Amino acid sequence: MAPAISISLNDSSDVTDFVIKQGHGVKGLSEMGIKSLPEQYIQPLEERLMTRIEPQESIPVIDMSKWDDAQVSNSICDAAEKWGFFQVVNHGVPLQVLDDVKKATYGFFGLPAAEKIKYSKENSSSNNVRFGTSFTPQVEKALEWKDYLSLFYVSDEEAAALWPPVCKDQILEYMKSSKFLIDHLLQVLMKRLNVNEIDETKQSLLTGSVRTNINYYPICPNPELTVGVGRHSDVSTLTVLLQDNVGGLYVRGNEGEDSWIHVPPINGAIVINIGDALQILSNGRYRSVEHRVTANGSSNRISVPIFVNPRPQDMIGPLPETLANGEKPIYKQVLYSDYVKHFFRKAHDGKKTVDFAKITN
Ligand SMILES: CC(C)(COP(=O)(O)OP(=O)(O)OC[C@H]1O[C@@H](n2cnc3c(N)ncnc32)[C@H](O)[C@@H]1OP(=O)(O)O)[C@@H](O)C(=O)NCCC(=O)NCCSC(=O)/C=C/c1ccc(O)cc1
Ligand SMILES: O=C(O)CCC(=O)C(=O)O
Ligand SMILES: [Fe+2]
C-alpha cells in the first residue's frame, strides 16, 4: 500500500529524509506511484546500460548432477578463468529452500518503514546487521535504485538475537544448504591451482567469513536513467547468487568495452561468481568480473547473494602454490578488512578496488 505521505520530489533533502532517514527506501518512492525519477538517481550517461548483447556469447550453465566427473570440474575452472561467472543446476540446494528465502526477502521488505529502520546503520544494535539503500549514499554522486539488508554471520546465537525474525531462519537455512556446494566448488578450483588439500588454514582463508545480502529493486519510473547496481566486482572469494525470474543482471563480456552479457534467469539455478579475493589468491588466473543490474520499469526484482570471504583479519595475496612454477606475483599481501573497507568507502567504480592490491613498480 502507498504510504500516506507526500514529499516534494524536487527537494533532494526531502527525498533523502524519506528514503534514508525514515527507512522507506526506494521501495517507498516506487509505491507512492511517482511518475519521474528524483534527480539524485539520474546516473551519468556512461553508467546507464547500453546493452550490446552478444548472441554468440553466453555464461556457461553447468549441470552439477555428476559432481565428481572430471568434465564438470573442468567446466567449472574454465568458466572461472574465462568468464568469472557461471550458473549451476542440480546443485544440491533444495529448491524449497530457494523458494523460502525468496518469500522471506519479500517478507522483510514488506515490513513497515518504522520496522526496517531499526536495522539501519544509525539504529542497528550491531554493525553486523544493516538495512540500507543504494551502496554508500554519503559518497555517491548518483544513487542506485536498490534497497538491501546485509547480514554478517557470526553465530546461530547472534543471528537468533539480532537478525530480523521475518527472514532469519530462511536465510540461515539457505546459507547452510549452500555449504556443500561452496566447499565443492572451491576444492575443484583449488586443484587447478595445485592446491590438492584444503587444510584448516586454507579453509578459513577461503571461507572464513560469510555475508548474506537480500536486495530489493522496486519498479522504477525511468529505468533507462538509472541503475539497480552500478558496475562493480565483488570483494568476496566467491559469491553464490540467487535471482528471481525478472532478469537484469549483466556481466562484462570478453569482446570489448561495451560487451555486456545478460545472465538469464533459469528456474532453480544458482549463479556463481568469482570475487576479488580469489582473483588475488589465484594471482589473476580466476577472474573477478564486473557486473551491473539494470532498473526495471514494470517488475519488482529481488536477489540474494551469499558472499563467501576470507576473515577480516586474514592477509590475502597470491597463494604460494600458484607461484611455485616461477610465476611472478602481480598482487601483494593485503589485510582483507582493509581491502573491504576500501571498497565500501567509495562509490562503485568498476574494477578499481583491485588496484589496492596490485604490485606497482
Ligand atoms: C570491513 C568489514 C565489512 C567491517 O568492518 P568493521 O570493523 O565492522 O568496520 P566498520 O563497521 O567501521 O565498517 C567499515 C566501513 O565499511 C562500511 N560497511 C561495512 N559493512 C557495510 C555494508 N554491508 N554495506 C555498506 N557499507 C558497509 C561501514 O559503513 C564503514 O564505513 P565508514 O563508516 O565510512 O568508515 C568487516 O566486517 C570485514 O572485513 N568483513 C569481511 C567480510 C565481508 O563483509 N566481505 C564483503 C563481502 S561483500 C561483497 O563482496 C560485495 C558486496 C556488495 C554490496 C553491495 C553492492 O552494491 C555490491 C557489492
Ligand atoms: O542483484 C543481482 O543480481 C546482483 C547483485 C550484486 O551484484 C551484488 O549484490 O553484489
Ligand atoms: Fe555483485
Side-chain angles (χ1 to χ4, degrees):
M1 223 188 23
I5 303 170
S6 84
I7 58 164
S8 166
L9 295 171
N10 295 324
D11 182 337
S12 80
S13 64
D14 239 24
V15 173
T16 305
D17 189 73
F18 176 81
V19 172
I20 301 178
K21 295 221 185 80
Q22 296 174 34
H24 292 282
V26 282
K27 180 171 184 286
L29 285 180
S30 175
E31 290 177 357
M32 278 170 71
I34 59 167
K35 294 286 181 288
S36 64
L37 191 72
E39 209 169 322
Q40 60 264 60
Y41 291 92
I42 300 178
Q43 293 282 333
L45 202 55
E46 64 275 15
E47 294 303 331
R48 301 180 205 159
L49 185 58
M50 283 159 285
T51 320
R52 188 162 73 86
I53 300 168
E54 303 293 332
Q56 274 84 9
E57 293 191 306
S58 59
I59 304 299
V61 178
I62 301 174
D63 184 341
M64 301 288 291
S65 44
K66 292 189 185 147
W67 284 93
D68 288 328
D69 199 301
Q71 255 179 355
V72 174
S73 301
N74 275 331
S75 312
I76 292 167
C77 297
D78 290 349
E81 287 186 7
K82 182 168 183 204
W83 300 103
F85 265 80
F86 51 98
Q87 303 207 55
V88 289
V89 295
N90 298 316
H91 41 61
V93 184
L95 301 186
Q96 188 63 51
V97 170
L98 302 183
D99 269 358
D100 289 348
V101 82
K102 285 191 259 186
K103 286 201 189 98
T105 298
Y106 273 101
F108 175 78
F109 289 102
L111 294 174
E115 275 304 307
K116 287 183 284 197
I117 199 70
K118 291 179 183 164
Y119 302 101
S120 70
K121 180 177 158 81
E122 287 69 31
N123 302 322
S124 180
S125 55
S126 158
N127 258 344
N128 299 333
V129 178
R130 177 189 301 246
F131 167 64
T133 186
S134 191
F135 180 61
T136 307
Q138 317 84 280
V139 299
E140 285 169 299
K141 289 203 184 79
L143 298 179
E144 300 178 347
W145 195 256
K146 180 192 90 168
D147 300 327
Y148 71 90
L149 174 74
S150 185
L151 301 166
F152 185 72
Y153 178 83
V154 172
S155 65
D156 285 0
E157 291 70 31
E158 189 189 274
L162 299 179
W163 292 14
V166 68
C167 56
K168 153 191 85 174
D169 292 340
Q170 294 82 352
I171 293 174
L172 282 172
E173 193 58 39
Y174 169 49
M175 284 170 54
K176 288 186 179 162
S177 312
S178 306
K179 202 171 171 332
F180 185 84
L181 171 67
I182 292 164
D183 287 347
H184 179 77
L185 291 172
L186 286 170
Q187 193 202 326
V188 165
L189 290 165
M190 284 298 113
K191 224 173 186 167
R192 191 174 276 190
L193 301 180
N194 297 319
V195 177
N196 294 316
E197 198 218 322
I198 301 183
D199 60 16
E200 229 172 277
T201 313
K202 279 243 165 54
Q203 179 72 20
S204 160
L205 183 63
L206 295 167
T207 69
S209 79
V210 178
R211 176 182 292 281
T212 303
N213 284 9
I214 58 178
N215 295 324
Y216 192 93
Y217 307 89
I219 294 172
C220 180
N222 298 110
E224 66 293 346
L225 298 182
T226 191
V227 297
V229 180
R231 291 181 299 114
H232 71 284
S233 60
D234 294 350
V235 293
S236 53
T237 306
L238 59 78
T239 304
V240 172
L241 173 72
L242 176 64
Q243 61 168 339
D244 64 14
N245 59 11
V246 174
L249 169 63
Y250 289 80
V251 173
R252 173 85 80 187
N254 292 318
E255 305 211 338
E257 268 298 287
D258 58 348
S259 130
W260 288 93
I261 300 168
H262 190 228
V263 183
I266 298 173
N267 221 344
I270 293 176
V271 179
I272 306 289
N273 65 282
I274 305 302
D276 294 351
L278 190 50
Q279 175 169 320
I280 293 167
L281 291 165
S282 68
N283 202 33
R285 180 157 193 170
Y286 296 134
R287 296 177 56 218
S288 168
V289 170
E290 251 178 293
H291 50 285
R292 63 203 304 185
V293 177
T294 49
N296 189 307
S298 53
S299 300
N300 299 308
R301 176 175 185 271
I302 56 162
S303 69
V304 190
I306 302 176
F307 302 105
V308 179
N309 315 293
R311 295 172 309 166
Q313 66 270 35
D314 285 327
M315 295 296 292
I316 59 165
L319 293 168
E321 292 84 345
T322 65
L323 305 177
N325 56 3
E327 194 173 302
K328 247 183 111 186
I330 53 177
Y331 301 108
K332 57 190 173 196
Q333 297 282 333
V334 294
L335 183 67
Y336 185 61
S337 69
D338 286 346
Y339 191 86
V340 177
K341 284 181 196 178
H342 177 69
F343 173 72
F344 280 130
R345 280 187 186 146
K346 56 181 185 48
H348 282 321
D349 193 7
K351 285 274 312 166
K352 286 267 172 63
T353 322
V354 83
D355 290 346
F356 187 75
K358 270 206 182 114
I359 293 176
T360 48
N361 294 315

